[in-house]
Amino acid sequence: MSSVSAWGSFFGGPSATGTAARISVAIGLILFVIGSAGCALAQTAHAMIAWRIVQALGACASVALSRAMVRDLYEGNRAAQMLSTLITVMAIAPLIGPLVGGQIVVLAGWRAIFWTLVGIGVLTFAALFTIPETLPPERRGRESILRALAGYTALLRHHRLLGYAGAGGFLYGGMYAYVAGTPFAYITYYHVPAQFYGLLFGLGIIGIMAANILNTRLIPYFGYDRILLAGTIFTALSAMTAAVASRTGWGGLWGLVVPLFVFASTTGFVVANSITGALADFPERAGAVSALIGAIQYGSGIIGSGLVGAFADGTPWPMGWVIGVAGVGSLLSMLLLTPVLFGKTRGISTTSHTFQIFRRIRCRKSC
């Protein structure tokens, strides 16, 4: 369903251009409820696929527009903090979802999962009208959806926007490769018992949550752009280490688990800050920018997971090199496409930004 989410994100942002974002989210939730109910009632595999598409199209509207709503309410470093909090909450779902879903299947069967999602959708729809509209009427666009979609071409001409989008997009490609490749690498190649795979995978989710919480604490002192750069540096280093370990077998299982844990954790320093940077220059087009970022992220995820499957050779190496390329691509996006933020304007080299962060952290602890 990732491809559906990519297209849904692409069209979801412009849908809020001429209307209130809350209305667009409400429409998405209605589609989600209808799609979930259709899945629960489906009698064939083809019907299930069709209703899952409807469900995914509805769900992605909330994902894309929630980030735009944060930009409506907050700016700069505060926006990055709130996005980190939002992403931390979203990271909890993959952790508890399989556990809750497994219990529902045992107690009531697989159809009950979709009826549960129907209930969640209805409750969310009701809760939506307890919050105010985030975008004032004077800031809402009046252009058609087709015109808004054409505006994506103009957005793609901005190098800084591409830099921020690339930093998060490449990381998403690596993360989807991580999701697609670790079951084989851990269970089949390194013979980890299947019941313990969830624990190793859960480490990454815990790392993401912890990094997002730390990100909210660091932003007031260093700013989201410097933390983003430091995050992409660690993304590249951990990704290359994982690639080497997957190729050579160095360190065995833990030689792969540790750098992958660091790689996954850097999501907490990259995603929220890259979205904030992308939205900062286009406050009047927050919905379209958020949708474009979402489409790039999900599209990169499709490519990343697809490459792992296409080049499968019975070893963790396909996953490793995809993650390695993704990590380096994330860093290069920041260094090559957003140089105005790191060096020329502030008179400080990109490397010194990273060391400044750690010097100030150490000083705060010791002083």
Coordinates of all heavy atoms in Angstrom, one line a residue, residues 277-309:
G277 N 12.3 22.4 7.8 CA 13.1 23.2 6.8 C 12.4 23.4 5.5 O 12.4 24.5 4.9
A278 N 11.7 22.3 5.0 CA 11.0 22.4 3.8 C 9.8 23.3 3.8 O 9.5 24.1 2.9 CB 10.6 21.0 3.3
L279 N 9.1 23.3 5.0 CA 7.9 24.1 5.1 C 8.2 25.6 5.4 O 7.4 26.5 5.2 CB 7.1 23.6 6.3 CG 6.4 22.2 6.0 CD1 5.7 21.7 7.3 CD2 5.4 22.3 4.9
A280 N 9.4 25.9 6.0 CA 9.8 27.2 6.5 C 9.6 28.3 5.4 O 9.2 29.4 5.7 CB 11.2 27.2 7.1
D281 N 10.1 28.0 4.2 CA 10.1 29.0 3.1 C 8.7 29.1 2.4 O 8.6 30.0 1.5 CB 11.2 28.7 2.1 CG 12.6 28.8 2.7 OD1 12.7 29.6 3.7 OD2 13.5 28.2 2.2
F282 N 7.8 28.2 2.7 CA 6.5 28.2 2.0 C 5.3 28.1 2.9 O 4.5 27.2 2.8 CB 6.5 27.1 1.0 CG 7.6 27.1 0.0 CD1 8.8 26.3 0.2 CD2 7.5 27.8 -1.2 CE1 9.8 26.3 -0.7 CE2 8.6 27.8 -2.1 CZ 9.7 27.1 -1.8
P283 N 5.2 29.1 3.9 CA 4.1 29.0 4.8 C 2.7 29.0 4.2 O 1.8 28.4 4.7 CB 4.3 30.2 5.7 CG 5.1 31.2 4.9 CD 6.0 30.3 4.0
E284 N 2.6 29.7 3.0 CA 1.3 29.8 2.3 C 1.0 28.6 1.5 O -0.1 28.4 1.1 CB 1.3 31.1 1.4 CG 2.1 30.9 0.2 CD 3.7 31.0 0.4 OE1 4.1 31.3 1.5 OE2 4.4 30.7 -0.6
R285 N 2.0 27.7 1.4 CA 1.7 26.4 0.6 C 2.1 25.2 1.4 O 2.6 24.2 0.9 CB 2.5 26.5 -0.7 CG 2.2 27.7 -1.6 CD 2.6 27.3 -3.0 NE 1.8 26.2 -3.5 CZ 2.0 25.6 -4.7 NH1 3.1 25.9 -5.4 NH2 1.3 24.6 -5.1
A286 N 1.8 25.3 2.7 CA 2.2 24.3 3.6 C 1.6 22.9 3.3 O 2.3 21.9 3.3 CB 1.9 24.6 5.1
G287 N 0.4 22.9 2.8 CA -0.3 21.7 2.5 C 0.4 21.0 1.3 O 0.6 19.8 1.3
A288 N 0.7 21.8 0.2 CA 1.3 21.3 -1.0 C 2.7 20.8 -0.7 O 3.1 19.7 -1.1 CB 1.3 22.3 -2.1
V289 N 3.5 21.5 0.1 CA 4.8 21.1 0.4 C 4.8 19.9 1.3 O 5.6 18.9 1.0 CB 5.6 22.2 1.2 CG1 6.9 21.8 1.7 CG2 5.8 23.5 0.3
S290 N 3.9 19.8 2.3 CA 3.8 18.6 3.1 C 3.4 17.4 2.2 O 4.0 16.3 2.4 CB 2.8 18.8 4.2 OG 2.6 17.6 5.0
A291 N 2.5 17.6 1.3 CA 2.1 16.5 0.4 C 3.3 16.0 -0.5 O 3.5 14.8 -0.7 CB 0.9 16.9 -0.4
L292 N 4.0 17.0 -1.0 CA 5.2 16.7 -1.9 C 6.2 15.9 -1.1 O 6.8 14.9 -1.6 CB 5.8 18.0 -2.4 CG 7.0 17.8 -3.3 CD1 6.7 17.0 -4.6 CD2 7.6 19.2 -3.7
I293 N 6.5 16.4 0.1 CA 7.5 15.7 1.0 C 7.0 14.2 1.3 O 7.8 13.3 1.2 CB 7.7 16.4 2.3 CG1 8.3 17.8 2.1 CG2 8.5 15.6 3.3 CD1 9.7 17.7 1.5
G294 N 5.7 14.1 1.6 CA 5.2 12.7 1.8 C 5.3 11.8 0.6 O 5.6 10.7 0.8
A295 N 5.0 12.4 -0.6 CA 5.1 11.6 -1.8 C 6.5 11.1 -2.0 O 6.8 10.0 -2.4 CB 4.5 12.4 -3.0
I296 N 7.5 12.1 -1.8 CA 8.9 11.7 -2.0 C 9.3 10.7 -1.0 O 10.0 9.7 -1.4 CB 9.7 13.0 -1.9 CG1 9.5 13.9 -3.1 CG2 11.2 12.6 -1.8 CD1 10.2 15.3 -2.9
Q297 N 8.9 10.8 0.2 CA 9.3 9.8 1.3 C 8.7 8.4 1.0 O 9.4 7.4 1.0 CB 8.8 10.3 2.6 CG 9.6 11.5 3.1 CD 9.0 12.1 4.4 OE1 7.9 11.7 4.8 NE2 9.8 12.9 5.1
Y298 N 7.4 8.4 0.7 CA 6.8 7.1 0.4 C 7.3 6.5 -0.9 O 7.6 5.3 -1.0 CB 5.3 7.2 0.3 CG 4.7 7.3 1.7 CD1 3.9 8.4 2.0 CD2 4.8 6.3 2.7 CE1 3.3 8.5 3.3 CE2 4.2 6.4 3.9 CZ 3.5 7.5 4.2 OH 2.9 7.6 5.4
G299 N 7.6 7.4 -1.9 CA 8.1 6.9 -3.2 C 9.5 6.3 -3.0 O 9.9 5.3 -3.6
S300 N 10.3 7.0 -2.2 CA 11.7 6.5 -1.9 C 11.6 5.2 -1.2 O 12.4 4.3 -1.4 CB 12.4 7.5 -1.0 OG 12.6 8.7 -1.7
G301 N 10.6 5.0 -0.3 CA 10.4 3.8 0.4 C 10.1 2.6 -0.5 O 10.6 1.5 -0.3
I302 N 9.3 2.9 -1.5 CA 8.9 1.9 -2.5 C 10.2 1.4 -3.2 O 10.4 0.2 -3.4 CB 7.9 2.4 -3.5 CG1 6.6 2.7 -2.8 CG2 7.7 1.4 -4.6 CD1 5.6 3.5 -3.7
I303 N 11.0 2.4 -3.6 CA 12.2 2.1 -4.4 C 13.2 1.3 -3.5 O 13.8 0.3 -3.9 CB 12.9 3.4 -4.9 CG1 12.0 4.1 -5.9 CG2 14.3 3.1 -5.5 CD1 12.5 5.4 -6.3
G304 N 13.4 1.8 -2.2 CA 14.3 1.1 -1.3 C 13.9 -0.4 -1.1 O 14.8 -1.3 -1.2
S305 N 12.7 -0.6 -0.7 CA 12.2 -2.0 -0.4 C 12.3 -2.8 -1.7 O 12.6 -4.0 -1.7 CB 10.8 -2.0 0.2 OG 9.9 -1.4 -0.7
G306 N 11.9 -2.2 -2.9 CA 11.9 -2.9 -4.1 C 13.3 -3.4 -4.5 O 13.5 -4.5 -5.1
L307 N 14.3 -2.5 -4.3 CA 15.7 -2.9 -4.6 C 16.2 -4.0 -3.8 O 16.9 -4.9 -4.3 CB 16.6 -1.7 -4.4 CG 16.5 -0.5 -5.5 CD1 17.3 0.7 -5.1 CD2 16.9 -1.0 -6.9
V308 N 15.8 -4.1 -2.5 CA 16.2 -5.2 -1.7 C 15.7 -6.5 -2.3 O 16.4 -7.5 -2.3 CB 15.7 -5.0 -0.2 CG1 16.0 -6.3 0.6 CG2 16.4 -3.8 0.4
G309 N 14.5 -6.5 -2.7 CA 13.9 -7.7 -3.3 C 14.5 -8.1 -4.6 O 14.7 -9.2 -4.9

